[in-house]
Amino acid sequence: MDSEKEIRRLVKLINYHNRKYYLEDNPEISDYEYDTLLKELIASEKKYPQYKTADSPTQRVGGEPLKEFKTVKHKFPMLSIDNTYSSEELLDFDRRVTKLLTEKTEYVVEPKIDGVAVSLIYENGYFIQGVSRGDGDQGDEITANLRTIRNLPLSIPFSSTIEVRGEVYFKKKEFDLLNQRRKKEGEPLFVNPRNAAAGSLKLLDPALVSRRPLNLFVYTGFLRKGPREHYPVLQLLRELGFPVNPHVELFTNIEEVINYCRKFQEKKDKLPYDTDGIVIKVNSLTAQEKLGATTKSPRWLVAYKFPAAQATTRLKDIILQVGRTGVLTPVAILEPVGLAGSTISRATLHNEDEIKRLDVRIGDKVFIEKGGDIIPKILKVVKEVRTGKEAIFKMPEKCPVCGGKVYRDTDGVAVRCENVRCPAQVSERIKHFASREAMDIEGLGEALVNLLVQKKLVEDYGDLYFLKLKLADLITLERMGEKSSQNLLKAIEKSKERPLPNFLFALGIRHIGIHSAEILSEKFQSILELRNSDLETLSSIPEIGPTMAESIFNFFRDKETAIVLEKLEQAGVKAIKKSGLKVKNEKKIFSGKRIVLTGTLENFTRSEVTRLIKGLGGRLTSSVSPKTTFILTGKEPGSKLQKAKTLGIKIIDESEFKKLIKGSGLHI
Ligand code: IVH
């Protein structure tokens, strides 16, 4: 048997299976069979070293350790990429690009892999040199280390010289395994997958590198001849056997790019590797050349970075907030830190148990996290940097606002202030009463409510309707005056007629949110009827559990409730039974959609729109963001419309909205 031929056959066969396994994720043979082939090859190459080739898979297990890396100058500098953080900035990028070009611009978008940049050179179809980015002009020759990367092709069916560039990275799972192993072995841990990739490529012993499961994605290729557009270049690289990211897409305008960025943000956490943004590139290579580069970065590409979801900062203090039901909620006061596009100076701590669970102390360095529109929270404490001066937080025995006694609730978690007249509780109840889904009293915000309570102009929400008798006092309040006082009184008057569910919700019965209030409103004709129902009737209502039933029952038997309801009745506050909207048996056409309303509609109030959208599966949100599905515009739209236009978000007017609703089968 011809040993040279046999070695060639094994090399080809193993490389084929390698490709099936690492590139196509579709293995044809078992690991055992693969290992047997590899062992056969190792044995043959040992016997006939003269037949060893540069693309032999045995090259991946690492050669001799090096004393140091050779420095190599890059043929073209490895520049960096300018960052953007919003769709507005992407629109600016598009404007800059289109201004400099005459032809229409197409864009290629690619995930920005959070790894280490490398340059790979192939000659006569073989991988001959790999270099790290270094300072951009020159880097380390790390060919032997790069050879160990299983999805890096050692040979390609392409005979002219070609340089490709890409990112070496660690998969999240492999990173966890590596760190677990290092922990067991008492080795220092890597901070993140990028760190692990960088650390691995710096090892001087390729045999050690080969034990680290590194991966590669290539994102560019310099060809002497060939396609004059980036997208087909990537396709060609893929055909040659290079790993090209599967989420690469070609778009004809920036709006589509923005849309991709918006969608990608949601799926990025599910990917097996870390990405720290999206790279957006002008497709035409001629256009790229025309646009050129600054000393730092090319003008034909930009990175859209995802807002950082985590940060570290210092916990300065823990304060207590008293809610409308008297619950004392600890709030973390933080040294301000930028996170996900805003400055964070507070985070919720939920309750005393959470403080104990985290073992968080005043003065600690903490990790904070913010996801979507959720309030930031403390993830963990960096205990390693404690100085010993950190103070342990203790729940007080008295309410920090009114000095009333506090007690641990029967649920065993919440700590409450006993005093229902505690000014903090009173303020919170009024704020809730005035809120949009409740009585929707415009202009009655947090600061004003606090002032009204502090100056004793109101003792409960019933008093709001008698404020007109205190106009003189109202006018003298900070930032009030004749005009604002009149406006406030008008808004209060307007709230006298509210649909029953909103009114019921406004009362602030514990455990009763707007949804439960809606259910109750279907069952009962009036507040009076609800008030007179017994516990059994209440608990028999579907979706109203025993806790809610008991809470409703107790609420109406409370002295304070009687007083406040009496005031409301005297003032003429009425609940309207029928809102005229029935949401049943319809297609959930707004399922998963986020809709923003701006301006006034002719046929619907804001809360009716909220109910309609909710009933059809969607959400009415307050501000326009790239996540918004469409903006519904009424008369006198505000700045939200402009923002929607800038972001290229769909705009719908009232008549189109009505058509959509009709189409859902819902009768209005
Ligand atoms: S193109 C001018 N495409 O991001 C550099 N880079 O922050 C052109 N990166 O050094 C590079 N994924 O290491 C490009 N799909 C991608 C990328 C990508 C990750 C890295 C690259 C670069 C760094 C710049």
Side-chain angles (χ1 to χ4, degrees), residues 103 106 221 223-233 236 282-290:
E103 66 270 43
E106 288 182 329
L223 306 157
R224 289 225 186 92
K225 300 197 285 244
R228 291 295 297 154
E229 280 169 324
H230 179 59
Y231 194 72
V233 167
L236 176 66
V282 168
N283 190 29
S284 153
L285 301 190
T286 315
Q288 287 186 6
E289 283 154 18
K290 228 191 250 175

mmCIF file with all atom_site columns, all heavy atoms in Angstrom, residues 103 106 221 223-233 236 282-290:
data_model
loop_
_atom_site.group_PDB
_atom_site.id
_atom_site.type_symbol
_atom_site.label_atom_id
_atom_site.label_alt_id
_atom_site.label_comp_id
_atom_site.label_asym_id
_atom_site.label_entity_id
_atom_site.label_seq_id
_atom_site.pdbx_PDB_ins_code
_atom_site.Cartn_x
_atom_site.Cartn_y
_atom_site.Cartn_z
_atom_site.occupancy
_atom_site.B_iso_or_equiv
_atom_site.pdbx_formal_charge
_atom_site.auth_seq_id
_atom_site.auth_comp_id
_atom_site.auth_asym_id
_atom_site.auth_atom_id
_atom_site.pdbx_PDB_model_num
ATOM 1   N N   . GLU A 1 103 ? -24.453 56.598 -5.320  1.00 0.00 ? 103 GLU A N   1
ATOM 2   C CA  . GLU A 1 103 ? -25.366 55.471 -5.545  1.00 0.00 ? 103 GLU A CA  1
ATOM 3   C C   . GLU A 1 103 ? -26.116 55.079 -4.270  1.00 0.00 ? 103 GLU A C   1
ATOM 4   O O   . GLU A 1 103 ? -25.778 55.532 -3.168  1.00 0.00 ? 103 GLU A O   1
ATOM 5   C CB  . GLU A 1 103 ? -24.602 54.259 -6.119  1.00 0.00 ? 103 GLU A CB  1
ATOM 6   C CG  . GLU A 1 103 ? -23.603 53.656 -5.167  1.00 0.00 ? 103 GLU A CG  1
ATOM 7   C CD  . GLU A 1 103 ? -22.213 54.273 -5.290  1.00 0.00 ? 103 GLU A CD  1
ATOM 8   O OE1 . GLU A 1 103 ? -22.107 55.517 -5.400  1.00 0.00 ? 103 GLU A OE1 1
ATOM 9   O OE2 . GLU A 1 103 ? -21.255 53.520 -5.248  1.00 0.00 ? 103 GLU A OE2 1
ATOM 10  N N   . GLU A 1 106 ? -26.477 49.828 0.179   1.00 0.00 ? 106 GLU A N   1
ATOM 11  C CA  . GLU A 1 106 ? -26.977 48.610 0.817   1.00 0.00 ? 106 GLU A CA  1
ATOM 12  C C   . GLU A 1 106 ? -26.091 48.329 2.016   1.00 0.00 ? 106 GLU A C   1
ATOM 13  O O   . GLU A 1 106 ? -24.915 48.674 2.008   1.00 0.00 ? 106 GLU A O   1
ATOM 14  C CB  . GLU A 1 106 ? -26.866 47.428 -0.148  1.00 0.00 ? 106 GLU A CB  1
ATOM 15  C CG  . GLU A 1 106 ? -27.850 47.466 -1.281  1.00 0.00 ? 106 GLU A CG  1
ATOM 16  C CD  . GLU A 1 106 ? -27.696 46.231 -2.156  1.00 0.00 ? 106 GLU A CD  1
ATOM 17  O OE1 . GLU A 1 106 ? -26.565 45.703 -2.268  1.00 0.00 ? 106 GLU A OE1 1
ATOM 18  O OE2 . GLU A 1 106 ? -28.705 45.807 -2.731  1.00 0.00 ? 106 GLU A OE2 1
ATOM 19  N N   . GLY A 1 221 ? -12.599 39.200 4.055   1.00 0.00 ? 221 GLY A N   1
ATOM 20  C CA  . GLY A 1 221 ? -11.558 38.529 3.278   1.00 0.00 ? 221 GLY A CA  1
ATOM 21  C C   . GLY A 1 221 ? -11.006 39.504 2.259   1.00 0.00 ? 221 GLY A C   1
ATOM 22  O O   . GLY A 1 221 ? -11.750 40.277 1.671   1.00 0.00 ? 221 GLY A O   1
ATOM 23  N N   . LEU A 1 223 ? -9.367  39.670 -1.200  1.00 0.00 ? 223 LEU A N   1
ATOM 24  C CA  . LEU A 1 223 ? -9.129  38.845 -2.383  1.00 0.00 ? 223 LEU A CA  1
ATOM 25  C C   . LEU A 1 223 ? -8.586  39.732 -3.484  1.00 0.00 ? 223 LEU A C   1
ATOM 26  O O   . LEU A 1 223 ? -8.976  40.898 -3.599  1.00 0.00 ? 223 LEU A O   1
ATOM 27  C CB  . LEU A 1 223 ? -10.452 38.249 -2.872  1.00 0.00 ? 223 LEU A CB  1
ATOM 28  C CG  . LEU A 1 223 ? -11.285 37.459 -1.868  1.00 0.00 ? 223 LEU A CG  1
ATOM 29  C CD1 . LEU A 1 223 ? -12.730 37.436 -2.301  1.00 0.00 ? 223 LEU A CD1 1
ATOM 30  C CD2 . LEU A 1 223 ? -10.749 36.057 -1.775  1.00 0.00 ? 223 LEU A CD2 1
ATOM 31  N N   . ARG A 1 224 ? -7.684  39.175 -4.285  1.00 0.00 ? 224 ARG A N   1
ATOM 32  C CA  . ARG A 1 224 ? -7.153  39.988 -5.398  1.00 0.00 ? 224 ARG A CA  1
ATOM 33  C C   . ARG A 1 224 ? -8.230  40.191 -6.450  1.00 0.00 ? 224 ARG A C   1
ATOM 34  O O   . ARG A 1 224 ? -8.410  41.276 -6.972  1.00 0.00 ? 224 ARG A O   1
ATOM 35  C CB  . ARG A 1 224 ? -5.952  39.286 -6.012  1.00 0.00 ? 224 ARG A CB  1
ATOM 36  C CG  . ARG A 1 224 ? -4.767  39.327 -5.078  1.00 0.00 ? 224 ARG A CG  1
ATOM 37  C CD  . ARG A 1 224 ? -3.478  39.691 -5.813  1.00 0.00 ? 224 ARG A CD  1
ATOM 38  N NE  . ARG A 1 224 ? -2.385  39.568 -4.852  1.00 0.00 ? 224 ARG A NE  1
ATOM 39  C CZ  . ARG A 1 224 ? -1.690  38.456 -4.690  1.00 0.00 ? 224 ARG A CZ  1
ATOM 40  N NH1 . ARG A 1 224 ? -1.940  37.401 -5.441  1.00 0.00 ? 224 ARG A NH1 1
ATOM 41  N NH2 . ARG A 1 224 ? -0.732  38.401 -3.793  1.00 0.00 ? 224 ARG A NH2 1
ATOM 42  N N   . LYS A 1 225 ? -8.933  39.117 -6.755  1.00 0.00 ? 225 LYS A N   1
ATOM 43  C CA  . LYS A 1 225 ? -10.026 39.203 -7.727  1.00 0.00 ? 225 LYS A CA  1
ATOM 44  C C   . LYS A 1 225 ? -11.260 38.638 -7.045  1.00 0.00 ? 225 LYS A C   1
ATOM 45  O O   . LYS A 1 225 ? -11.146 37.935 -6.057  1.00 0.00 ? 225 LYS A O   1
ATOM 46  C CB  . LYS A 1 225 ? -9.759  38.306 -8.954  1.00 0.00 ? 225 LYS A CB  1
ATOM 47  C CG  . LYS A 1 225 ? -8.532  38.593 -9.730  1.00 0.00 ? 225 LYS A CG  1
ATOM 48  C CD  . LYS A 1 225 ? -8.632  37.937 -11.101 1.00 0.00 ? 225 LYS A CD  1
ATOM 49  C CE  . LYS A 1 225 ? -8.408  36.441 -10.989 1.00 0.00 ? 225 LYS A CE  1
ATOM 50  N NZ  . LYS A 1 225 ? -7.239  35.936 -11.653 1.00 0.00 ? 225 LYS A NZ  1
ATOM 51  N N   . GLY A 1 226 ? -12.395 38.905 -7.641  1.00 0.00 ? 226 GLY A N   1
ATOM 52  C CA  . GLY A 1 226 ? -13.592 38.303 -7.063  1.00 0.00 ? 226 GLY A CA  1
ATOM 53  C C   . GLY A 1 226 ? -14.699 39.307 -6.896  1.00 0.00 ? 226 GLY A C   1
ATOM 54  O O   . GLY A 1 226 ? -14.656 40.386 -7.494  1.00 0.00 ? 226 GLY A O   1
ATOM 55  N N   . PRO A 1 227 ? -15.693 38.981 -6.104  1.00 0.00 ? 227 PRO A N   1
ATOM 56  C CA  . PRO A 1 227 ? -16.856 39.853 -5.962  1.00 0.00 ? 227 PRO A CA  1
ATOM 57  C C   . PRO A 1 227 ? -16.462 41.242 -5.473  1.00 0.00 ? 227 PRO A C   1
ATOM 58  O O   . PRO A 1 227 ? -15.505 41.386 -4.717  1.00 0.00 ? 227 PRO A O   1
ATOM 59  C CB  . PRO A 1 227 ? -17.720 39.146 -4.915  1.00 0.00 ? 227 PRO A CB  1
ATOM 60  C CG  . PRO A 1 227 ? -17.061 37.872 -4.572  1.00 0.00 ? 227 PRO A CG  1
ATOM 61  C CD  . PRO A 1 227 ? -15.757 37.801 -5.246  1.00 0.00 ? 227 PRO A CD  1
ATOM 62  N N   . ARG A 1 228 ? -17.216 42.239 -5.891  1.00 0.00 ? 228 ARG A N   1
ATOM 63  C CA  . ARG A 1 228 ? -16.941 43.619 -5.468  1.00 0.00 ? 228 ARG A CA  1
ATOM 64  C C   . ARG A 1 228 ? -17.940 44.094 -4.407  1.00 0.00 ? 228 ARG A C   1
ATOM 65  O O   . ARG A 1 228 ? -18.209 45.275 -4.263  1.00 0.00 ? 228 ARG A O   1
ATOM 66  C CB  . ARG A 1 228 ? -16.962 44.558 -6.687  1.00 0.00 ? 228 ARG A CB  1
ATOM 67  C CG  . ARG A 1 228 ? -15.813 44.354 -7.651  1.00 0.00 ? 228 ARG A CG  1
ATOM 68  C CD  . ARG A 1 228 ? -14.470 44.683 -7.029  1.00 0.00 ? 228 ARG A CD  1
ATOM 69  N NE  . ARG A 1 228 ? -14.370 46.085 -6.647  1.00 0.00 ? 228 ARG A NE  1
ATOM 70  C CZ  . ARG A 1 228 ? -13.564 46.521 -5.684  1.00 0.00 ? 228 ARG A CZ  1
ATOM 71  N NH1 . ARG A 1 228 ? -12.823 45.669 -5.001  1.00 0.00 ? 228 ARG A NH1 1
ATOM 72  N NH2 . ARG A 1 228 ? -13.510 47.803 -5.403  1.00 0.00 ? 228 ARG A NH2 1
ATOM 73  N N   . GLU A 1 229 ? -18.535 43.100 -3.751  1.00 0.00 ? 229 GLU A N   1
ATOM 74  C CA  . GLU A 1 229 ? -19.448 43.440 -2.665  1.00 0.00 ? 229 GLU A CA  1
ATOM 75  C C   . GLU A 1 229 ? -19.153 42.546 -1.469  1.00 0.00 ? 229 GLU A C   1
ATOM 76  O O   . GLU A 1 229 ? -18.733 41.393 -1.638  1.00 0.00 ? 229 GLU A O   1
ATOM 77  C CB  . GLU A 1 229 ? -20.896 43.237 -3.105  1.00 0.00 ? 229 GLU A CB  1
ATOM 78  C CG  . GLU A 1 229 ? -21.406 44.396 -3.944  1.00 0.00 ? 229 GLU A CG  1
ATOM 79  C CD  . GLU A 1 229 ? -22.735 44.079 -4.589  1.00 0.00 ? 229 GLU A CD  1
ATOM 80  O OE1 . GLU A 1 229 ? -22.931 42.921 -4.969  1.00 0.00 ? 229 GLU A OE1 1
ATOM 81  O OE2 . GLU A 1 229 ? -23.567 44.975 -4.686  1.00 0.00 ? 229 GLU A OE2 1
ATOM 82  N N   . HIS A 1 230 ? -19.405 43.084 -0.281  1.00 0.00 ? 230 HIS A N   1
ATOM 83  C CA  . HIS A 1 230 ? -19.046 42.357 0.937   1.00 0.00 ? 230 HIS A CA  1
ATOM 84  C C   . HIS A 1 230 ? -19.877 41.081 1.123   1.00 0.00 ? 230 HIS A C   1
ATOM 85  O O   . HIS A 1 230 ? -19.339 40.033 1.484   1.00 0.00 ? 230 HIS A O   1
ATOM 86  C CB  . HIS A 1 230 ? -19.229 43.296 2.139   1.00 0.00 ? 230 HIS A CB  1
ATOM 87  C CG  . HIS A 1 230 ? -18.925 42.666 3.452   1.00 0.00 ? 230 HIS A CG  1
ATOM 88  N ND1 . HIS A 1 230 ? -17.690 42.129 3.751   1.00 0.00 ? 230 HIS A ND1 1
ATOM 89  C CD2 . HIS A 1 230 ? -19.687 42.469 4.555   1.00 0.00 ? 230 HIS A CD2 1
ATOM 90  C CE1 . HIS A 1 230 ? -17.710 41.641 4.979   1.00 0.00 ? 230 HIS A CE1 1
ATOM 91  N NE2 . HIS A 1 230 ? -18.913 41.826 5.490   1.00 0.00 ? 230 HIS A NE2 1
ATOM 92  N N   . TYR A 1 231 ? -21.170 41.186 0.849   1.00 0.00 ? 231 TYR A N   1
ATOM 93  C CA  . TYR A 1 231 ? -22.053 40.035 1.106   1.00 0.00 ? 231 TYR A CA  1
ATOM 94  C C   . TYR A 1 231 ? -21.630 38.798 0.297   1.00 0.00 ? 231 TYR A C   1
ATOM 95  O O   . TYR A 1 231 ? -21.430 37.724 0.872   1.00 0.00 ? 231 TYR A O   1
ATOM 96  C CB  . TYR A 1 231 ? -23.504 40.428 0.821   1.00 0.00 ? 231 TYR A CB  1
ATOM 97  C CG  . TYR A 1 231 ? -24.513 39.440 1.370   1.00 0.00 ? 231 TYR A CG  1
ATOM 98  C CD1 . TYR A 1 231 ? -24.743 39.343 2.736   1.00 0.00 ? 231 TYR A CD1 1
ATOM 99  C CD2 . TYR A 1 231 ? -25.232 38.600 0.513   1.00 0.00 ? 231 TYR A CD2 1
ATOM 100 C CE1 . TYR A 1 231 ? -25.658 38.430 3.254   1.00 0.00 ? 231 TYR A CE1 1
ATOM 101 C CE2 . TYR A 1 231 ? -26.148 37.695 1.015   1.00 0.00 ? 231 TYR A CE2 1
ATOM 102 C CZ  . TYR A 1 231 ? -26.361 37.621 2.383   1.00 0.00 ? 231 TYR A CZ  1
ATOM 103 O OH  . TYR A 1 231 ? -27.260 36.716 2.893   1.00 0.00 ? 231 TYR A OH  1
ATOM 104 N N   . PRO A 1 232 ? -21.420 38.926 -1.037  1.00 0.00 ? 232 PRO A N   1
ATOM 105 C CA  . PRO A 1 232 ? -20.937 37.758 -1.780  1.00 0.00 ? 232 PRO A CA  1
ATOM 106 C C   . PRO A 1 232 ? -19.547 37.287 -1.342  1.00 0.00 ? 232 PRO A C   1
ATOM 107 O O   . PRO A 1 232 ? -19.246 36.105 -1.452  1.00 0.00 ? 232 PRO A O   1
ATOM 108 C CB  . PRO A 1 232 ? -20.925 38.216 -3.239  1.00 0.00 ? 232 PRO A CB  1
ATOM 109 C CG  . PRO A 1 232 ? -21.467 39.580 -3.276  1.00 0.00 ? 232 PRO A CG  1
ATOM 110 C CD  . PRO A 1 232 ? -21.810 40.042 -1.922  1.00 0.00 ? 232 PRO A CD  1
ATOM 111 N N   . VAL A 1 233 ? -18.720 38.222 -0.833  1.00 0.00 ? 233 VAL A N   1
ATOM 112 C CA  . VAL A 1 233 ? -17.405 37.797 -0.330  1.00 0.00 ? 233 VAL A CA  1
ATOM 113 C C   . VAL A 1 233 ? -17.617 36.824 0.833   1.00 0.00 ? 233 VAL A C   1
ATOM 114 O O   . VAL A 1 233 ? -16.985 35.764 0.911   1.00 0.00 ? 233 VAL A O   1
ATOM 115 C CB  . VAL A 1 233 ? -16.543 39.004 0.117   1.00 0.00 ? 233 VAL A CB  1
ATOM 116 C CG1 . VAL A 1 233 ? -15.335 38.543 0.916   1.00 0.00 ? 233 VAL A CG1 1
ATOM 117 C CG2 . VAL A 1 233 ? -16.098 39.831 -1.075  1.00 0.00 ? 233 VAL A CG2 1
ATOM 118 N N   . LEU A 1 236 ? -18.679 33.532 -0.434  1.00 0.00 ? 236 LEU A N   1
ATOM 119 C CA  . LEU A 1 236 ? -17.545 32.803 -1.006  1.00 0.00 ? 236 LEU A CA  1
ATOM 120 C C   . LEU A 1 236 ? -16.709 32.182 0.119   1.00 0.00 ? 236 LEU A C   1
ATOM 121 O O   . LEU A 1 236 ? -16.312 31.018 0.049   1.00 0.00 ? 236 LEU A O   1
ATOM 122 C CB  . LEU A 1 236 ? -16.703 33.757 -1.864  1.00 0.00 ? 236 LEU A CB  1
ATOM 123 C CG  . LEU A 1 236 ? -15.431 33.164 -2.448  1.00 0.00 ? 236 LEU A CG  1
ATOM 124 C CD1 . LEU A 1 236 ? -15.754 32.081 -3.465  1.00 0.00 ? 236 LEU A CD1 1
ATOM 125 C CD2 . LEU A 1 236 ? -14.584 34.242 -3.110  1.00 0.00 ? 236 LEU A CD2 1
ATOM 126 N N   . VAL A 1 282 ? -21.173 48.982 4.831   1.00 0.00 ? 282 VAL A N   1
ATOM 127 C CA  . VAL A 1 282 ? -21.602 49.314 3.471   1.00 0.00 ? 282 VAL A CA  1
ATOM 128 C C   . VAL A 1 282 ? -21.244 48.118 2.592   1.00 0.00 ? 282 VAL A C   1
ATOM 129 O O   . VAL A 1 282 ? -20.121 47.613 2.654   1.00 0.00 ? 282 VAL A O   1
ATOM 130 C CB  . VAL A 1 282 ? -20.889 50.595 2.991   1.00 0.00 ? 282 VAL A CB  1
ATOM 131 C CG1 . VAL A 1 282 ? -21.075 50.799 1.506   1.00 0.00 ? 282 VAL A CG1 1
ATOM 132 C CG2 . VAL A 1 282 ? -21.390 51.797 3.785   1.00 0.00 ? 282 VAL A CG2 1
ATOM 133 N N   . ASN A 1 283 ? -22.194 47.657 1.780   1.00 0.00 ? 283 ASN A N   1
ATOM 134 C CA  . ASN A 1 283 ? -21.987 46.419 1.028   1.00 0.00 ? 283 ASN A CA  1
ATOM 135 C C   . ASN A 1 283 ? -20.975 46.566 -0.119  1.00 0.00 ? 283 ASN A C   1
ATOM 136 O O   . ASN A 1 283 ? -20.116 45.723 -0.308  1.00 0.00 ? 283 ASN A O   1
ATOM 137 C CB  . ASN A 1 283 ? -23.336 45.926 0.493   1.00 0.00 ? 283 ASN A CB  1
ATOM 138 C CG  . ASN A 1 283 ? -23.240 44.526 -0.080  1.00 0.00 ? 283 ASN A CG  1
ATOM 139 O OD1 . ASN A 1 283 ? -22.412 43.727 0.348   1.00 0.00 ? 283 ASN A OD1 1
ATOM 140 N ND2 . ASN A 1 283 ? -24.084 44.228 -1.055  1.00 0.00 ? 283 ASN A ND2 1
ATOM 141 N N   . SER A 1 284 ? -21.063 47.655 -0.857  1.00 0.00 ? 284 SER A N   1
ATOM 142 C CA  . SER A 1 284 ? -20.206 47.802 -2.032  1.00 0.00 ? 284 SER A CA  1
ATOM 143 C C   . SER A 1 284 ? -18.751 48.087 -1.638  1.00 0.00 ? 284 SER A C   1
ATOM 144 O O   . SER A 1 284 ? -18.470 49.030 -0.890  1.00 0.00 ? 284 SER A O   1
ATOM 145 C CB  . SER A 1 284 ? -20.742 48.937 -2.906  1.00 0.00 ? 284 SER A CB  1
ATOM 146 O OG  . SER A 1 284 ? -19.689 49.513 -3.640  1.00 0.00 ? 284 SER A OG  1
ATOM 147 N N   . LEU A 1 285 ? -17.820 47.287 -2.164  1.00 0.00 ? 285 LEU A N   1
ATOM 148 C CA  . LEU A 1 285 ? -16.409 47.489 -1.834  1.00 0.00 ? 285 LEU A CA  1
ATOM 149 C C   . LEU A 1 285 ? -15.885 48.775 -2.467  1.00 0.00 ? 285 LEU A C   1
ATOM 150 O O   . LEU A 1 285 ? -15.045 49.464 -1.894  1.00 0.00 ? 285 LEU A O   1
ATOM 151 C CB  . LEU A 1 285 ? -15.568 46.294 -2.287  1.00 0.00 ? 285 LEU A CB  1
ATOM 152 C CG  . LEU A 1 285 ? -15.932 44.922 -1.705  1.00 0.00 ? 285 LEU A CG  1
ATOM 153 C CD1 . LEU A 1 285 ? -14.865 43.894 -2.063  1.00 0.00 ? 285 LEU A CD1 1
ATOM 154 C CD2 . LEU A 1 285 ? -16.107 44.962 -0.191  1.00 0.00 ? 285 LEU A CD2 1
ATOM 155 N N   . THR A 1 286 ? -16.411 49.106 -3.652  1.00 0.00 ? 286 THR A N   1
ATOM 156 C CA  . THR A 1 286 ? -16.019 50.356 -4.301  1.00 0.00 ? 286 THR A CA  1
ATOM 157 C C   . THR A 1 286 ? -16.424 51.524 -3.414  1.00 0.00 ? 286 THR A C   1
ATOM 158 O O   . THR A 1 286 ? -15.647 52.454 -3.186  1.00 0.00 ? 286 THR A O   1
ATOM 159 C CB  . THR A 1 286 ? -16.700 50.473 -5.685  1.00 0.00 ? 286 THR A CB  1
ATOM 160 O OG1 . THR A 1 286 ? -16.559 49.212 -6.330  1.00 0.00 ? 286 THR A OG1 1
ATOM 161 C CG2 . THR A 1 286 ? -16.120 51.572 -6.500  1.00 0.00 ? 286 THR A CG2 1
ATOM 162 N N   . ALA A 1 287 ? -17.648 51.446 -2.893  1.00 0.00 ? 287 ALA A N   1
ATOM 163 C CA  . ALA A 1 287 ? -18.127 52.505 -2.000  1.00 0.00 ? 287 ALA A CA  1
ATOM 164 C C   . ALA A 1 287 ? -17.276 52.546 -0.727  1.00 0.00 ? 287 ALA A C   1
ATOM 165 O O   . ALA A 1 287 ? -16.926 53.633 -0.245  1.00 0.00 ? 287 ALA A O   1
ATOM 166 C CB  . ALA A 1 287 ? -19.591 52.274 -1.653  1.00 0.00 ? 287 ALA A CB  1
ATOM 167 N N   . GLN A 1 288 ? -16.889 51.389 -0.218  1.00 0.00 ? 288 GLN A N   1
ATOM 168 C CA  . GLN A 1 288 ? -16.038 51.337 0.980   1.00 0.00 ? 288 GLN A CA  1
ATOM 169 C C   . GLN A 1 288 ? -14.735 52.078 0.717   1.00 0.00 ? 288 GLN A C   1
ATOM 170 O O   . GLN A 1 288 ? -14.282 52.883 1.539   1.00 0.00 ? 288 GLN A O   1
ATOM 171 C CB  . GLN A 1 288 ? -15.710 49.886 1.348   1.00 0.00 ? 288 GLN A CB  1
ATOM 172 C CG  . GLN A 1 288 ? -16.862 49.109 1.948   1.00 0.00 ? 288 GLN A CG  1
ATOM 173 C CD  . GLN A 1 288 ? -16.431 47.716 2.422   1.00 0.00 ? 288 GLN A CD  1
ATOM 174 O OE1 . GLN A 1 288 ? -15.251 47.369 2.412   1.00 0.00 ? 288 GLN A OE1 1
ATOM 175 N NE2 . GLN A 1 288 ? -17.401 46.923 2.830   1.00 0.00 ? 288 GLN A NE2 1
ATOM 176 N N   . GLU A 1 289 ? -14.150 51.814 -0.452  1.00 0.00 ? 289 GLU A N   1
ATOM 177 C CA  . GLU A 1 289 ? -12.880 52.471 -0.789  1.00 0.00 ? 289 GLU A CA  1
ATOM 178 C C   . GLU A 1 289 ? -13.064 53.979 -0.898  1.00 0.00 ? 289 GLU A C   1
ATOM 179 O O   . GLU A 1 289 ? -12.231 54.757 -0.458  1.00 0.00 ? 289 GLU A O   1
ATOM 180 C CB  . GLU A 1 289 ? -12.311 51.905 -2.097  1.00 0.00 ? 289 GLU A CB  1
ATOM 181 C CG  . GLU A 1 289 ? -11.666 50.551 -1.871  1.00 0.00 ? 289 GLU A CG  1
ATOM 182 C CD  . GLU A 1 289 ? -11.650 49.668 -3.122  1.00 0.00 ? 289 GLU A CD  1
ATOM 183 O OE1 . GLU A 1 289 ? -11.822 50.197 -4.245  1.00 0.00 ? 289 GLU A OE1 1
ATOM 184 O OE2 . GLU A 1 289 ? -11.486 48.431 -2.964  1.00 0.00 ? 289 GLU A OE2 1
ATOM 185 N N   . LYS A 1 290 ? -14.188 54.380 -1.491  1.00 0.00 ? 290 LYS A N   1
ATOM 186 C CA  . LYS A 1 290 ? -14.477 55.801 -1.650  1.00 0.00 ? 290 LYS A CA  1
ATOM 187 C C   . LYS A 1 290 ? -14.594 56.483 -0.281  1.00 0.00 ? 290 LYS A C   1
ATOM 188 O O   . LYS A 1 290 ? -14.109 57.578 -0.063  1.00 0.00 ? 290 LYS A O   1
ATOM 189 C CB  . LYS A 1 290 ? -15.809 55.935 -2.393  1.00 0.00 ? 290 LYS A CB  1
ATOM 190 C CG  . LYS A 1 290 ? -15.744 56.931 -3.543  1.00 0.00 ? 290 LYS A CG  1
ATOM 191 C CD  . LYS A 1 290 ? -17.120 57.224 -4.052  1.00 0.00 ? 290 LYS A CD  1
ATOM 192 C CE  . LYS A 1 290 ? -17.355 56.639 -5.428  1.00 0.00 ? 290 LYS A CE  1
ATOM 193 N NZ  . LYS A 1 290 ? -18.741 56.836 -5.880  1.00 0.00 ? 290 LYS A NZ  1
#
